[in-house]
């Protein structure tokens, strides 16, 4: 039986996982269910937005490179939502894309953490616990290896944001 956190509201903890790769959604979903979350899978950011507005959501895990609405657009839309409960949902962004700008963009857009794929169960569990217990953004890890890498796919997605 899953344990519940003391700050749990009157609904079960709910996580929306947005990734266009089914096997990744399923693996993350398995780990989140082990942490006591009900899980909703979304294959793109647009579906994730619909789902997190449909029912109270406690956490979003989103890939950056998805069709229709990228993880960065999803994050930006969540943070600017008119509903303060939606705008306050913790968002973990993950990607296999490498670029020295990823951490900065996620921080500027109000993301709580960045996990570089492939992710391990320990990374996900540690990140979720840190965010939900401290309610603070997770400090970036050592990204020195990625600082000199440039991902053309990330740059294409990032180019849609004027401030970057």
């Amino acid at each position: 039986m899953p344990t519940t956190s003391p700050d749990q509201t009157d609904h079960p903890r709910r996580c929306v996982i947005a990734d266009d790769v089914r096997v990744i959604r399923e693996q993350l979903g398995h780990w989140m269910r082990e942490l006591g979350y009900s899980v909703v899978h979304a294959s793109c950011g647009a579906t994730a937005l619909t789902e997190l507005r449909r029912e109270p959501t406690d956490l979003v895990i989103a890939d950056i490179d998805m069709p229709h609405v990228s993880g960065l657009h999803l994050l930006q839309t969540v943070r600017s939502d008119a509903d303060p409960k939606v705008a306050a949902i913790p968002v973990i962004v993950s990607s296999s894309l490498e670029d020295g700008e990823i951490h900065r963009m996620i921080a500027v857009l109000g993301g709580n953490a960045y996990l570089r794929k492939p992710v391990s169960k320990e990374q996900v569990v540690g990140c979720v616990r840190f965010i939900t217990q401290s309610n603070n953004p997770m400090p970036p890890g050592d990204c020195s290896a990625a600082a000199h890498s440039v991902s053309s796919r990330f740059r294409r997605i990032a180019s849609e944001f004027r401030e970057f």
Side-chain angles (χ1 to χ4, degrees):
M1 184 164 161
T3 58
T4 57
S5 64
D7 59 338
Q8 185 173 349
T9 59
D10 60 350
H11 65 277
R13 293 181 294 172
R14 182 174 187 255
C15 177
V16 173
I17 299 173
D19 199 302
D20 56 330
V21 179
R22 182 181 53 82
V23 71
I24 293 173
R25 287 192 312 265
E26 289 175 357
Q27 183 63 69
L28 289 170
H30 177 73
W31 295 336
M32 293 307 294
R33 281 188 294 278
E34 287 180 356
L35 289 173
Y37 285 80
S38 67
V39 175
V40 176
H41 296 282
S43 60
C44 71
T47 303
L49 282 169
T50 300
E51 286 297 330
L52 66 91
R53 289 178 176 147
R54 190 173 62 81
E55 286 184 43
T57 300
D58 301 287
L59 183 68
V60 174
I61 302 174
D63 182 30
I64 289 177
D65 192 12
M66 294 184 289
H68 310 297
V69 175
S70 75
L72 296 176
H73 285 95
L74 173 62
L75 172 58
Q76 182 181 49
T77 304
V78 167
R79 290 296 174 254
S80 62
D81 198 275
D83 182 343
K85 290 179 183 176
V86 171
I89 297 170
V91 178
I92 298 170
V93 180
S94 68
S95 184
S96 59
L97 303 175
E98 286 188 40
D99 195 290
E101 292 294 304
I102 289 176
H103 287 278
R104 186 180 74 81
M105 284 187 71
I106 291 169
V108 167
L109 292 171
N112 295 83
Y114 172 70
L115 294 176
R116 184 157 180 261
K117 291 179 182 176
V119 298
S120 68
K121 179 180 180 179
E122 293 74 23
Q123 288 173 306
V124 172
V125 168
C127 183
V128 169
R129 286 188 174 146
F130 181 88
I131 290 169
T132 58
Q133 292 173 4
S134 70
N135 205 22
N136 290 319
M138 191 163 180
D142 178 17
C143 60
S144 58
H148 301 291
S149 301
V150 177
S151 167
S152 58
R153 291 183 80 161
F154 175 76
R155 293 297 169 153
R156 176 186 50 80
I157 295 166
S159 70
E160 298 172 11
F161 294 91
R162 287 185 217 170
E163 62 269 22
F164 300 102

